[in-house]
Amino acid sequence: MDENDGVRAQSRCVSREEQEENELSTDLSNLSVGMAETKRMDYLRWDDYFMAVALLSAMRSKDPSSQVGACIVNASKKVVGIGYNGMPSGCSDDDLPWNKESSDPLQNKYMYGMCIVTEMVIGIVA
Ligand SMILES: O=c1ccn([C@H]2C[C@H](O)[C@@H](COP(=O)(O)O)O2)c(=O)[nH]1
């Protein structure tokens, strides 16, 4: 052992610390690679997404026999309208009839309701 042994020893010690640090950072970097967020691949396709919006909207309908939902989307895939079948807005769905086979046309829902898509398109362009 000469006078440089201590230095070498210290230097070896620092080296080991550095090595440990390197190992630690390597481990952390592995960890961060392992935890890295990557894009989900099982996300909803646009068509399914818009159809799901339409299905959800249909659940708002008060029509006892048919529940229809709609979701209108523009060319940029932006929803420009959602809706469901029912009485025209502003008309009470407690007062208007929900029948469909009454001999009195005024007592049938068809006299008052309109295809929801038609109604929505009118709403969008109006
Ligand atoms: O494309 C459609 C088809 C139907 N609707 C609405 C209109 C009515 O409220 C009902 C149809 O009633 P039925 O008892 O099934 O005849 O559904 C619509 O909005 N859009």
Side-chain angles (χ1 to χ4, degrees):
M1 195 162 167
D2 61 26
E3 61 188 11
N4 291 327
D5 278 352
V7 174
R8 277 202 299 272
Q10 191 179 8
S11 145
R12 254 197 309 275
C13 182
V14 167
S15 238
R16 191 176 304 128
E17 280 173 12
E18 279 172 9
Q19 194 182 341
E20 282 171 5
E21 265 179 38
N22 285 342
E23 283 169 7
L24 183 63
S25 61
T26 305
D27 287 346
L28 287 177
S29 90
N30 282 342
L31 187 64
S32 80
V33 167
M35 289 169 55
E37 292 293 328
T38 53
K39 186 170 97 171
R40 288 176 56 229
M41 295 309 292
D42 57 344
Y43 54 88
L44 271 186
R45 292 183 315 123
W46 282 117
D47 285 356
D48 293 333
Y49 173 62
F50 297 132
M51 286 305 289
V53 171
L55 277 172
L56 186 67
S57 301
M59 295 169 79
R60 281 281 308 155
S61 175
K62 291 158 192 157
D63 190 322
S65 55
S66 298
Q67 298 79 45
V68 182
C71 174
I72 298 182
V73 179
N74 70 13
S76 309
K77 296 188 171 62
K78 300 278 180 251
V79 174
V80 292
I82 54 173
Y84 52 90
N85 62 320
M87 295 304 173
S89 74
C91 300
S92 168
D93 48 32
D94 290 323
D95 297 337
L96 292 174
W98 289 105
N99 305 314
K100 54 190 247 181
E101 285 166 356
S102 171
S103 53
D104 177 358
L106 292 177
Q107 289 307 313
N108 284 326
K109 64 182 176 181
Y110 303 118
M111 186 61 98
Y112 311 96
M114 194 190 275
C115 168
I116 180 58
V117 174
T118 310
E119 206 167 334
M120 286 168 60
V121 169
I122 290 171
I124 290 166
V125 296

